[in-house]
């Protein structure tokens, strides 16, 4: 039984090349993300409580399930979200409208927001994710370990993600090696702010 499937990317593997190289994108999507999907389907096959459940429902109640479901269900959700946040370098615009106003209100400016997000990504020990979430109608920056995310009932700060960056080494090591801060700085050039705005407006 195969419940979950690997989504296709909305661009080619080499589309983000100046920021994320094609080999990293191909391996990350076709090997790492595929493995989360396959292992999640293995969990579903082994646990009747998971069968027929939507991924969002599983994530929201993740404390009821196995560690394997947490890691691989989170991995599938996080990567499916992540791919769609990106677009070719320099084509993603900048925040505008209500999102731009919310960023200024929460952080003071776009540049301060980026600094705080980068600091959250650098400060996440080991593997994990940095996020901008909507919590009680306001923006916050958080990080989560491993493949956890702020939608999980186990998250220390819960909210609805509108942006997230993968700070696992597999996301950047070929091009940036140990230089996670350089990856985080460069990544802003591939963010698709139209998508982030849609997530923001849907989260309110
Ligand atoms: Mn990853």
């Amino acid at each position: 039984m195969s419940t979950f499937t690997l989504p296709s990317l909305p661009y080619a593997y080499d589309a983000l090349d100046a920021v994320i190289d094609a080999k990293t994108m191909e391996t990350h999507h076709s090997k790492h993300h595929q493995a989360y999907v396959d292992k999640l389907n293995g969990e579903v096959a082994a646990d009747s409580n998971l069968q027929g459940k939507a991924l969002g429902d599983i994530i929201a109640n993740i404390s009821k399930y196995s560690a394997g479901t947490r890691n691989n269900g989170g991995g599938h959700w996080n990567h499916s979200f992540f791919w769609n946040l990106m677009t070719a370098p320099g084509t993603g615009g900048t925040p505008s409208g209500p999102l731009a106003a919310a960023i200024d209100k929460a952080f003071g400016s776009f540049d301060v927001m980026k600094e705080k997000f980068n600091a959250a990504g650098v400060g996440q020990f080991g593997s994990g994710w940095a996020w901008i979430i909507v919590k009680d109608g306001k923006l916050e920056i958080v990080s989560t370990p491993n493949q956890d995310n702020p939608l999980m009932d186990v998250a220390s700060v819960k909210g609805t993600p509108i942006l997230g960056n993968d700070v696992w080494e597999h996301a950047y090591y070929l091009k940036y090696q140990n230089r996670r801060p350089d990856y985080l700085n460069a990544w802003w050039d591939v963010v698709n702010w139209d998508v982030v705005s849609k997530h923001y407006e849907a989260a309110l």
Side-chain angles (χ1 to χ4, degrees):
M1 187 183 77
S2 179
T3 304
F4 297 104
T5 56
L6 183 70
S8 51
L9 297 184
Y11 40 70
Y13 285 133
D14 64 359
L16 313 182
D17 199 50
V19 174
I20 305 176
D21 59 281
K23 187 69 183 170
T24 294
M25 288 299 296
E26 181 177 3
T27 307
H28 199 177
H29 177 256
S30 71
K31 305 294 189 214
H32 291 278
H33 190 172
Q34 182 70 61
Y36 298 124
V37 170
D38 292 345
K39 289 177 185 170
L40 176 59
N41 286 332
E43 298 287 337
V44 173
D47 182 354
S48 61
N49 292 317
L50 286 165
Q51 290 162 15
K53 293 240 165 67
L55 183 59
D57 185 32
I58 295 169
I59 294 290
N61 297 286
I62 203 72
S63 63
K64 295 180 182 173
Y65 304 113
S66 68
T69 299
R70 180 170 170 176
N71 291 334
N72 295 294
H76 182 35
W77 194 97
N78 293 348
H79 289 83
S80 300
F81 183 73
F82 178 62
W83 308 130
N84 286 303
L85 294 171
M86 298 189 289
T87 185
T91 68
T94 53
S96 60
L99 175 61
I103 288 171
D104 287 346
K105 186 175 178 196
F107 307 110
S109 71
F110 182 50
D111 286 342
V112 172
M113 181 279 287
K114 289 196 284 187
E115 283 171 24
K116 289 187 170 174
F117 187 95
N118 290 355
V122 170
Q124 175 57 50
F125 182 77
S127 296
W129 292 73
W131 307 95
I132 302 177
I133 60 171
V134 175
K135 177 180 162 64
D136 302 326
K138 288 185 279 193
L139 299 182
E140 286 190 30
I141 289 169
V142 296
S143 66
T144 55
N146 304 312
Q147 295 296 354
D148 285 2
N149 70 46
L151 294 168
M152 290 181 171
D153 59 358
V154 295
S156 55
V157 180
K158 287 189 270 297
T160 305
I162 65 166
L163 179 74
N165 195 0
D166 187 342
V167 299
W168 284 57
E169 283 188 345
H170 68 221
Y172 63 85
Y173 201 83
L174 292 181
K175 189 174 176 70
Y176 299 91
Q177 294 83 48
N178 60 313
R179 302 188 309 276
R180 187 188 290 186
D182 291 354
Y183 160 66
L184 282 156
N185 271 323
W187 184 73
W188 296 109
D189 206 33
V190 295
V191 173
N192 185 337
W193 288 102
D194 282 343
V195 172
V196 182
S197 280
K198 289 190 176 93
H199 287 317
Y200 173 64
E201 286 167 33
L204 292 176

